[in-house]
Amino acid sequence: MSSNTMHPPRALAWIVRLALLIAAVAIAYLALAPVDLGGRGGNVDHAIAFVTLGFLSRLAFPRWYMIVLLALLALFGGAIEVLQGTMHAGRDMQMVDFKIDVAAALVGLVVGALVNRMLGGWRAGD
């Protein structure tokens, strides 16, 4: 083990991954629930949600290529938009929301990578 690389306990890696899963489920619910049942929306909400997902994704899977994580987050955001357009729950599919999701996910991924570097490049699951 190199002296300049911090290796967290396996439990910490799984806590970060669990936080990512919980965030994804919560975001999907808030994005797909009818507005009268607590659903949320708006550009700021989209940005906060996908910065969070990007950040947690980078920390949860630091070995994965960033483009792969971004593609997965874009698919998640795209799926939400398609479902919003087809569920008839008072939601609309909007391209601007998708663009915000992807841009915010990229910001979160970059911030996550910077935090990972500040932590000494720890690897989840090592």
Side-chain angles (χ1 to χ4, degrees):
M1 177 176 3
S2 121
S3 62
N4 64 353
T5 302
M6 183 168 67
H7 295 279
R10 277 194 177 282
L12 180 58
W14 285 105
I15 289 170
V16 173
R17 290 176 181 161
L18 179 61
L20 174 60
L21 176 63
I22 290 169
V25 169
I27 289 164
Y29 172 78
L30 292 171
L32 298 174
V35 176
D36 60 347
L37 294 178
R40 299 277 312 199
N43 295 346
V44 173
D45 290 335
H46 278 267
I48 291 169
F50 278 82
V51 165
T52 301
L53 290 176
F55 177 77
L56 290 173
S57 294
R58 189 77 225 148
L59 292 182
F61 301 102
R63 293 181 184 176
W64 291 25
Y65 289 110
M66 197 175 303
I67 191 69
V68 171
L69 293 172
L70 183 61
L72 291 171
L73 292 170
L75 283 172
F76 182 66
I80 286 173
E81 291 305 317
V82 168
L83 288 170
Q84 284 180 339
T86 60
M87 288 179 53
H88 308 293
R91 299 282 189 174
D92 296 323
M93 179 172 57
Q94 297 182 350
M95 183 56 83
V96 69
D97 289 346
F98 176 72
K99 290 176 182 178
I100 290 169
D101 295 348
V102 174
L106 181 58
V107 169
L109 287 167
V110 169
V111 171
L114 292 172
V115 168
N116 185 35
R117 181 169 287 194
M118 288 176 15
L119 293 174
W122 75 279
R123 304 274 190 199
D126 279 348

